[in-house]
């Protein structure tokens, strides 16, 4: 794992931060992105301060909604480290409302970030991943296979991510690129205004997703878990 390089979109908190820490613990250099330069650098500082390996993290301002911005981020990673082995398309958000109340702006932001952002991430990095015979991982959701009321925008984006990733897997495996999508259920993060606390102890933790990403990378390359559903093993009784 040493000397590998990863790029994680939306890596300043939650699942992305947990993945960054897990990769850093494996001595993998990591770049994390945020729409905010300050937040990207602050999170990178926390990760570097806690690191027990020689690997480094650096923060980048990038917006997954823009292909140009994603290409600039990839170029910055290549300039800094000379290669790119792992891309984790994690950046995402959610707007939840009855279809009568969901605004066009909320719909567009959800699709542009959660789905088009995943497209932009692989378009910007595919040449580098072909050179390294690397790994492209998307973070979908169980909402990408299970629909629910007030979730039309989020369901549409995550159903799209799941299908998109599976198709890209078939496109790219001939180049030696492994492609997987991870579909978590309830995760203890700041998503949708949640404040993680002891009441979230039953949920998947961000470090659990990080551990899963490490397991995928370590797996013998002859085997590809292309779609992984994960859920809390013991949700609270109603």
């Amino acid at each position: 794992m040493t000397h590998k390089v990863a790029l994680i979109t939306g890596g300043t908190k939650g699942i992305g931060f947990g993945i960054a820490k897990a990769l850093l613990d494996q001595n993998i250099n990591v770049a994390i992105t945020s729409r905010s330069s300050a937040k990207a650098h602050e999170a990178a500082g926390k990760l570097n301060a806690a690191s027990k390996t020689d690997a480094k993290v650096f923060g980048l301002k990038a917006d997954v909604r823009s292909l140009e911005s994603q290409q600039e981020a990839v170029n910055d990673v290549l300039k800094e480290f000379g290669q790119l082995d792992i891309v984790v398309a994690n950046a995402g958000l959610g707007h939840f409302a009855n279809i009568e109340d969901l605004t066009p702006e909320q719909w567009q932001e959800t699709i542009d970030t959660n789905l088009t952002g995943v497209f932009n991430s692989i378009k910007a990095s595919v040449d580098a991943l072909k050179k390294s015979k690397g790994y492209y991982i998307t973070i979908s959701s169980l909402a990408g296979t299970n629909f629910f009321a007030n979730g039309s925008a989020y369901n549409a984006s995550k159903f799209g991510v799941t299908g998109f990733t599976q198709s890209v897997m078939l496109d790219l495996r001939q180049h030696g690129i492994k492609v997987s999508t991870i579909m978590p259920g309830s995760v203890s993060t700041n998503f949708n205004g949640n404040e993680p606390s002891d009441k979230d102890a039953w949920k998947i933790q961000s470090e659990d997703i990080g551990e899963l990403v490490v397991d995928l990378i370590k797996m013998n390359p002859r085997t590809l878990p292309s779609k992984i559903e994960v859920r809390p093993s013991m949700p609270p009784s109603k």
Side-chain angles (χ1 to χ4, degrees), residues 54 61 187 223 234 238:
D54 294 330
K61 180 181 180 180
V187 183
T223 301
M234 187 62 70
K238 296 182 180 179

Side-chain angles (χ1 to χ4, degrees), residues 24-54:
L24 190 64
D25 288 345
Q26 296 295 319
N27 213 22
I28 294 174
N29 292 306
V30 180
I32 56 174
T33 72
S34 170
R35 295 180 190 177
S36 164
S37 179
K39 289 181 179 179
H41 288 110
E42 179 184 3
K46 290 179 180 177
L47 288 163
N48 282 319
S51 176
K52 298 178 181 179
T53 68
D54 294 330

Side-chain angles (χ1 to χ4, degrees), residues 88-209:
V88 182
N90 165 75
L93 53 78
H95 291 294
F96 302 93
N98 186 286
I99 190 60
E100 294 182 279
D101 302 316
L102 186 73
T103 67
E105 292 77 18
Q106 290 172 324
W107 166 268
Q108 201 63 57
E109 185 178 27
T110 304
I111 297 299
D112 287 349
T113 304
N114 295 4
L115 183 53
T116 304
V118 170
F119 167 82
N120 289 338
S121 295
I122 188 59
K123 288 294 286 186
S125 61
V126 66
D127 288 341
L129 292 177
K130 284 171 70 174
K131 290 180 181 178
S132 65
K133 295 191 182 300
Y135 212 137
Y136 178 62
I137 298 171
T138 67
I139 306 300
S140 184
S141 168
L142 288 183
T145 191
N146 302 320
F147 51 84
F148 52 87
N150 298 323
S152 57
Y154 192 71
N155 280 144
S157 70
K158 292 302 186 179
F159 268 72
V161 169
T162 301
F164 173 82
T165 309
Q166 294 298 283
S167 181
V168 169
M169 177 269 295
L170 297 176
D171 288 343
L172 296 183
R173 62 181 176 175
Q174 62 183 313
H175 298 294
I177 300 174
K178 297 177 75 175
V179 179
S180 299
T181 189
I182 300 173
M183 306 170 67
S186 298
V187 183
S188 177
T189 69
N190 298 94
F191 184 77
N192 199 32
N194 180 63
E195 188 64 34
S197 67
D198 291 342
K199 65 180 175 62
D200 290 335
W202 64 273
K203 296 180 179 179
I204 299 166
Q205 304 298 305
S206 59
E207 58 264 32
D208 301 338
I209 305 299

Side-chain angles (χ1 to χ4, degrees), residues 206-223:
S206 59
E207 58 264 32
D208 301 338
I209 305 299
E211 184 178 345
L212 177 55
V213 169
V214 170
D215 289 343
L216 287 173
I217 296 166
K218 286 185 172 182
M219 185 168 289
N220 192 301
R222 67 173 172 256
T223 301

